[in-house]
Amino acid sequence: MLLKLNISNFAVFEKESIDFENGFNVFTGETGSGKSILIEALSLILGERASKDFIRKGKKSSLLEAIFDISQNKNLENFLDLINIEIDDNDFLIISREIMDNGKSINKINGRTVPLNTIKEIGSYLIDIYGQFDNESLFKKENHIKMLDSLIDRDLSPLNDKYKYLYKSYNKKCEEIKYIQEKLINKDIKIEQLQYELNEIDDANIQQFEEEKLLNEIKKLSNVQEIKTSLYEVYNILSSDSNSSVNSLNKVYSILNKVKNFDDGLHDLFPRLELLIEELQSLIYDIRNYSEGLDVDDERLLTIENRISLINRLKRKYGFNLEKILEYRNSVEKELNIIKDAEKNLNELNIEKEQLFKSIKTCADKISNKRKDAAIILEKNLLKELHDLNMKNIKFKVNIIKKPDFSPDGIDSVEFLISTNIGSDLNSVQKVVSGGEASRIMLAFKKISCETDNSQTMVFDEIDAGISGKTAQMAGIKMNYISKNHQVICVTHSPQIASIAKKHFLIEKGISENNTFSTVKRIYNKDKIYEIARLLSGMKVTEKSLSNAKELIEISDNM
């Protein structure tokens, strides 16, 4: 149940705090006072996309906050527990949305920042908003099956969950069969081609990092003569008798040896010097040996060039590097095995598909039977409710036709058919029903469905469009009935509906310091009588309209 709505700097509202109660709450006010803005605020609390255009002029942000009592909403409590959102000791749920001037919003639940989708999921458990333009849902055939199912949701939900699982499994199995069947097309040609590709790659016996090693080797073999010349030059520099590096180090050794006995600190230099002489001699030896071992190997060079040519050819055919070639090789092997085993797998898949078909058909038939039972009850109850709403000469039928194949919502095609005049044939709702009639049909439906509706709060936004007088009064009675088990919030222009509500709020527009703003206040007694009189007579309230308003309220109080 919605306990409180706080609004700051939101469109025409500067700072308002509205305390709601259980039962029937109604909002009235002149056109343009902000009634639709109030519904917009509730929609945003439920997770609708926000626009910076709602921010009050001259302000950087708008803040909306709603406080709910969810102590009786076990389904929501279970969902909140599932997504790890804690509820305080009073079972209060606080949703807040701050809309920033950059178009973004900060969304919080009990102080914890959450994604907008989370608020939207939670909102579906809290409030059901039915607006004056939601009649369109009645005019779309695809919504009729959803409306019918909502009446038996508790009973249907386990079956629907099972059906969705089976439907997904069945479709997946059909896709697997189609995939295998496609593999079997030109099976022998495919096997021959794949086997050839697999053999070609395997015969090449490609090794990891082989290409890099081959390129390094061919670079060396292509430059052997230059390498030998350079090594010979280095060898001469290091070992020349006239300027030998070893001889130079030996001379250094002799000079230091003469004076080592004069200074003990010189003794530490000799091991290092000896190591240098030994390492240099070893280096000269290795350079000479390495140089002598280098030969121009034209045969090896040709072998490497042929190997690189083979690798490049495979790269052009199967991948731009060795890793991709090997990946392609593995995919070919996998594909080959699939095709070879295709017929055996196809037989197994067809058996599994047949088993799934039987299961999904059984489940779909059960769902269909429940829908047919619900349709009979809906037809009977809707006619009764519509009769109360001054639609007395109508016929209504829920037309259920079996589809040729399974669909996401079963095997049923559901359409509401109606006749509004004596002697007229049943026809599609969208072809027959007017806007005012659609409002009454939807209100009747809400009345019937309120026993199974998960939302604890129901909002009706100007559902009285196109109706007045006794019909409007009956609409108010229907909403009042709904309010016995649900909190009802209604925005209306109808004096008949407003007179029935036990909690009446008035939205008024004012001007202060060249700024327009709207306020919301709870009205009682004389103020309520005056507002009902205004709704009855328009702008000019007379003694007669006041008397009529008082009488209308008294009649409503005695219902």
Side-chain angles (χ1 to χ4, degrees):
M1 182 180 76
L2 177 62
L3 298 176
K4 183 185 282 288
L5 178 64
N6 298 318
I7 304 175
S8 296
N9 301 322
F10 186 75
V12 294
F13 294 106
E14 189 172 41
K15 193 176 178 98
E16 291 295 318
S17 183
I18 307 169
D19 292 313
F20 293 90
E21 295 181 20
N22 201 1
F24 194 179
N25 301 262
V26 73
F27 287 81
T28 63
E30 295 179 10
T31 300
S33 61
K35 300 187 297 298
S36 61
I37 297 297
L38 186 68
I39 299 300
E40 194 66 48
L42 287 173
S43 296
L44 293 178
I45 286 293
L46 299 181
E48 291 299 317
R49 291 284 175 185
S51 169
K52 63 180 181 180
D53 295 336
F54 285 116
I55 300 174
R56 191 167 172 79
K57 186 178 179 180
K59 303 297 180 179
K60 293 185 177 180
S61 65
S62 292
L63 180 64
L64 302 173
E65 181 184 72
I67 303 173
F68 296 89
D69 178 0
I70 62 168
S71 58
Q72 304 301 316
N73 200 332
K74 296 304 178 185
N75 290 333
L76 177 55
E77 287 184 3
N78 292 337
F79 178 72
L80 292 173
D81 187 55
L82 191 65
I83 60 176
N84 298 317
I85 291 181
E86 295 183 359
I87 305 301
D88 63 27
D89 294 337
N90 295 315
D91 288 320
F92 289 160
L93 180 74
I94 303 173
I95 299 178
S96 68
R97 295 194 67 186
E98 185 175 8
I99 305 165
M100 317 298 289
D101 57 6
N102 61 3
K104 297 182 179 179
S105 65
I106 300 173
N107 316 304
K108 293 184 178 181
I109 296 177
N110 284 11
R112 171 183 159 188
T113 303
V114 297
L116 185 59
N117 282 344
T118 300
I119 286 184
K120 199 159 190 174
E121 286 184 274
I122 291 172
S124 65
Y125 290 91
L126 294 169
I127 298 178
D128 177 19
I129 297 181
Y130 178 76
Q132 56 180 316
F133 301 111
D134 288 336
N135 290 341
E136 293 299 319
S137 63
L138 181 64
F139 295 144
K140 294 180 180 178
K141 179 185 172 183
E142 59 267 27
N143 291 329
H144 295 176
I145 192 169
K146 298 174 185 176
M147 293 173 67
L148 179 63
D149 285 356
S150 69
L151 299 176
I152 49 174
D153 181 64
R154 293 174 188 169
D155 195 24
L156 203 59
S157 185
L159 275 174
N160 270 335
D161 290 342
K162 182 179 180 181
Y163 177 83
K164 287 175 183 176
Y165 171 78
L166 290 170
Y167 180 74
K168 183 178 179 181
S169 300
Y170 180 76
N171 280 343
K172 184 179 179 182
K173 199 64 63 179
C174 290
E175 288 171 4
E176 290 175 1
I177 289 172
K178 183 180 178 182
Y179 174 76
I180 294 296
Q181 288 173 335
E182 288 174 352
K183 297 296 180 187
L184 285 170
I185 299 173
N186 298 322
K187 172 187 172 184
D188 294 337
I189 296 175
K190 288 179 180 177
I191 290 176
E192 183 179 355
Q193 177 63 29
L194 291 171
Q195 191 65 61
Y196 171 81
E197 292 176 350
L198 184 63
N199 291 340
E200 185 177 33
I201 296 173
D202 285 348
D203 290 345
N205 193 27
I206 296 172
Q207 303 297 317
Q208 194 174 17
F209 308 119
E210 178 184 5
E211 187 177 22
E212 183 181 351
K213 292 176 182 177
L214 290 172
L215 290 173
N216 287 334
E217 188 175 358
I218 199 171
K219 182 169 62 175
K220 173 185 172 181
L221 292 175
S222 299
N223 296 280
V224 165
Q225 197 58 51
E226 186 175 350
I227 295 170
K228 285 176 70 72
T229 300
S230 296
L231 288 174
Y232 180 74
E233 186 179 353
V234 170
Y235 176 78
N236 283 338
I237 291 171
L238 293 175
S239 61
S240 172
D241 290 338
S242 60
N243 190 23
S244 170
S245 299
V246 176
N247 289 339
S248 297
L249 288 173
N250 282 330
K251 288 178 182 179
V252 170
Y253 187 90
S254 297
I255 293 169
L256 291 176
N257 193 47
K258 290 177 182 180
V259 296
K260 69 177 181 179
N261 292 329
F262 303 137
D263 185 351
D264 290 341
L266 297 175
H267 287 272
D268 294 337
L269 298 175
F270 282 89
R272 295 167 62 191
L273 189 56
E274 290 168 356
L275 188 61
L276 278 173
I277 293 170
E278 183 181 349
E279 179 62 27
L280 186 56
Q281 287 175 335
S282 177
L283 176 62
I284 293 169
Y285 178 80
D286 289 342
I287 288 173
R288 185 190 66 192
N289 283 349
Y290 192 81
S291 176
E292 291 175 351
L294 288 174
D295 288 312
V296 177
D297 190 343
D298 292 333
E299 186 177 344
R300 175 60 182 165
L301 186 61
L302 180 61
T303 300
I304 294 173
E305 288 175 345
N306 289 337
R307 182 66 177 170
I308 290 177
S309 177
L310 172 63
I311 290 172
N312 286 334
R313 182 164 59 82
L314 293 176
K315 283 163 65 176
R316 286 193 297 271
K317 291 180 68 175
Y318 306 124
F320 55 84
N321 59 38
L322 297 187
E323 184 179 353
K324 292 295 180 184
I325 292 173
L326 294 175
E327 285 180 7
Y328 182 80
R329 183 258 174 221
N330 292 334
S331 68
V332 166
E333 184 178 46
K334 182 179 178 181
E335 182 79 356
L336 192 59
N337 289 334
I338 289 173
I339 294 176
K340 287 180 177 178
D341 295 337
E343 291 181 355
K344 174 187 173 185
N345 291 336
L346 185 61
N347 290 333
E348 293 175 353
L349 287 171
N350 278 321
I351 292 172
E352 293 171 5
K353 177 189 172 184
E354 185 62 29
Q355 292 171 342
L356 279 170
F357 179 86
K358 292 177 181 177
S359 298
I360 194 173
K361 185 179 183 304
T362 299
C363 189
D365 287 341
K366 289 180 180 179
I367 292 173
S368 183
N369 290 335
K370 288 186 178 296
R371 283 177 179 150
K372 290 171 183 175
D373 292 341
I376 294 171
I377 297 172
L378 175 60
E379 290 169 355
K380 177 182 176 182
N381 290 342
L382 193 71
L383 288 175
K384 178 180 178 299
E385 298 295 335
L386 291 176
H387 186 273
D388 293 341
L389 291 168
N390 204 28
M391 292 179 69
K392 298 179 180 179
N393 298 315
I394 72 164
K395 293 185 289 184
F396 176 80
K397 179 175 178 57
V398 180
N399 193 33
I400 300 178
I401 300 174
K402 188 175 181 180
K403 293 179 180 178
D405 203 353
F406 301 118
S407 68
D409 48 22
I411 55 172
D412 297 319
S413 172
V414 176
E415 184 177 18
F416 295 162
L417 304 178
I418 197 167
S419 167
T420 56
N421 297 304
I422 295 175
S424 298
D425 294 330
L426 287 165
N427 211 330
S428 300
V429 167
Q430 61 267 31
K431 295 180 180 179
V432 176
V433 172
S434 66
E437 289 170 332
S439 293
R440 281 179 276 176
I441 292 171
M442 287 304 296
L443 177 58
F445 186 85
K446 291 290 182 182
K447 162 76 162 43
I448 295 168
S449 65
C450 69
E451 301 296 333
T452 57
D453 197 292
N454 288 324
S455 299
Q456 291 193 325
T457 299
M458 301 183 76
V459 176
F460 295 95
D461 180 20
E462 298 189 18
I463 196 173
D464 52 281
I467 60 175
S468 60
K470 181 181 177 182
T471 304
Q473 188 174 40
M474 287 306 304
I477 292 172
K478 299 295 181 188
M479 282 186 269
N480 191 49
Y481 176 85
I482 295 172
S483 72
K484 303 299 181 185
N485 296 308
H486 292 69
Q487 181 186 45
V488 172
I489 298 171
C490 177
V491 173
T492 184
H493 291 285
S494 167
Q496 289 82 9
I497 292 175
S499 68
I500 294 173
K502 299 301 183 285
K503 296 93 181 176
H504 192 146
F505 296 88
L506 176 63
I507 303 178
E508 293 181 301
K509 183 182 287 187
I511 299 175
S512 175
E513 298 179 358
N514 294 322
N515 282 324
T516 301
F517 62 93
S518 291
T519 58
V520 181
K521 67 175 181 180
R522 174 90 179 266
I523 57 175
Y524 307 86
N525 303 328
K526 291 182 179 179
D527 290 335
K528 180 174 180 177
I529 293 172
Y530 187 89
E531 175 61 9
I532 299 295
R534 185 192 68 79
L535 292 172
L536 282 167
S537 61
M539 294 300 296
K540 189 176 180 179
V541 176
T542 65
E543 287 298 326
K544 185 176 181 180
S545 63
L546 286 169
S547 177
N548 289 339
K550 186 176 180 181
E551 182 181 8
L552 195 59
I553 293 171
E554 289 174 353
I555 292 172
S556 298
D557 288 340
N558 293 324
M559 285 183 179

